[in-house]
Amino acid sequence: MATADTAVAKNAPMTPEERKVIFASSLGTVFEWYDFYLYGSLAAIIAAQFFSKLDPGSAFIFALLAFAAGFIVRPFGALVFGRLGDLIGRKYTFLITIMLMGASTFLVGILPNYASIGVAAPIILIVLRILQGLALGGEYGGAATYVAEHAPHHRRGYFTAWIQTTATLGLFLSLLVILACRELTGENFAIWGWRIPFIVSILLLAVSLYIRLKMSESPAFQKMKAEGKLSKSPLGESFGQWKNLKLVILALIGLVAGQAVVWYTGQFYALFFLTQVLKVDAKTANLLIAAALLIGTPFFIFFGSLSDKIGRKLVIMLGLLLAIITYIPNTPVSIFNALTHYANPALETAMASAPATVTVDPAECSFQFNPTGTAKFTSSCDITKQVMASNSASYSTVPGPAGTVAKVKIGEKEIEGYTSKGLSADEAKAKDVAFKKEIREALDAAGYPKAADKAAMNLPMLVVLLTILVIYVTMVYGPIAAYLVELFPTRIRYTSMSLPYHIGNGWFGGLLPTIAFALVAQNGNIYYGLWYPIIIAAATLVIGSLFLKETKDVDIYAND
């Protein structure tokens, strides 16, 4: 049991030293997210530098590995570094993670490309990406645990909310640095300018490392160590004992999975939707997202602090509910329909005045899950649907008899599809070029724009809508670090909270854009991909509301 003196100490105001610790944790985590996002933002250029000279089969394998390294390995990093954090301490573990992330990122910036060192280039790149994913898997749990264990008892939501800002600030910083480097290097950006954001990260690493070296160990961990209560097997206790494993599972499906899809929808999918679906130019879209992030980020602190007063669970579940309601397409409150209206009104008009249909043999249609962007589809159904989706043309599917070659109707224009099965590479390429040209000409005639007209955009309304999406992110994400810390015992906290967090965000969230595009291609409606985050968030809302308890009053010093 905690003594009266302990209770007083843990409710006392933060000391200057403790504030410095929290600042150092947040700064280092911003840096790690900055590093991680650089690769995603520059993936197309990096692919051209490292994969373009490979044969198609090898390029597919390497692209798949590069993709997987960014998201799939994060839970494994959570296991490795979570275990270390519970065994040797929070401070030393995320000193390791920041050095690993920083060194890997810097090396990407100076890594010779395929033209210089051949196949060794993509192999080294994959290794560096794996190291980045592992480091990120260990960073978040360490930083959140460390800050929460330093924070006053009734202000954990407020203080851990600063850690919650770091992913958004890291994304914001990476966007700004990339935009600045594009402006400075112009046409050379794709040749060598892309390396600058990676190389300058070494300066951020030096500052973050210097500050973190001056930090003290978590008081909760020191107390556990002094009392001889450290876990001898954090993995065994976390996942081998049902009472703890049950909490891990509930944390994943009743909390983190829904948070992850709202987080990725509000920041990544919103950007994807603007650029790939609504055809807004990349610079404008990035600036719009950056403006929304700038306005919305303080709400992480607001909702973290609010969770100290009214409860973490209430704030998170309310955020999920609002997101679900306003994600649903074709309703008066649909935010993504409104984005289309204000970003590309010509597309909205064309979809209403000249609806498209695709007649296919359903038996030859597949679910186009293509995370690396390198898969080749050969049936007339898949080829046709992929071309229509990439042109942001909503369509309805008409089932045809067996053996039907896909046929597109746009307004009054009908276009016959083709199958590439049995064709040589040159023949398939010629068919592809001709088919895409005919589709594009028909879409042009029907008023479907190739790109959004900037003069027709309502930029202030777009910022407002994107800011609302970011505010949903802050509601579900702001209090979650405090909730996860309070949910698990101190002796296995780092391990137990890290795994569901990174499975949720690395897999449920990280795969969102790819799954959403596949759903759009499958169904034909440009909004259909939203059903993925809607369903996941709704499941989390139900499970979390029914089975998770409120944690804001948990004494994290007394739960071991």
Side-chain angles (χ1 to χ4, degrees), residues 45-125:
I45 292 174
I46 292 173
Q49 291 281 331
F50 294 97
F51 302 140
S52 61
K53 303 297 183 182
L54 295 168
D55 65 89
S58 298
F60 177 81
I61 292 169
F62 279 118
L64 182 62
L65 288 171
F67 174 83
F71 296 103
I72 306 303
V73 304
R74 280 171 57 179
F76 299 101
L79 290 175
V80 171
F81 292 110
R83 177 178 178 275
L84 283 177
D86 285 328
L87 286 174
I88 68 171
R90 295 26 170 153
K91 172 185 173 179
Y92 296 107
T93 301
F94 66 88
L95 276 174
I96 298 171
T97 63
I98 198 170
M99 291 176 65
L100 192 59
M101 176 67 86
S104 301
T105 303
F106 175 74
L107 289 173
V108 170
I110 63 172
L111 179 63
N113 61 16
Y114 187 92
S116 300
I117 60 173
V119 74
I123 291 174
I124 296 171
L125 179 68

Side-chain angles (χ1 to χ4, degrees), residues 262 303 314-328 331 333-336 468-469 471-476 534 537-538 541:
V262 171
F303 287 114
L314 178 61
V315 174
I316 294 169
M317 297 303 155
L318 181 59
L320 290 175
L321 179 62
L322 290 172
I324 292 164
I325 292 170
T326 54
Y327 287 175
I328 297 174
T331 66
V333 294
S334 172
I335 288 179
F336 284 84
I468 293 171
L469 291 176
I471 289 174
Y472 294 158
V473 172
T474 66
M475 291 183 74
V476 300
I534 289 169
L541 176 63

Side-chain angles (χ1 to χ4, degrees), residues 39 43-44 47 51 56-69 368-377 386 511 514-515:
Y39 186 95
F51 302 140
S58 298
F60 177 81
I61 292 169
F62 279 118
L64 182 62
L65 288 171
F67 174 83
Q368 298 185 27
F369 181 70
N370 184 18
T372 66
T374 56
K376 301 297 182 185
F377 298 101
Q386 187 178 48
L511 294 173
T514 304
I515 293 174

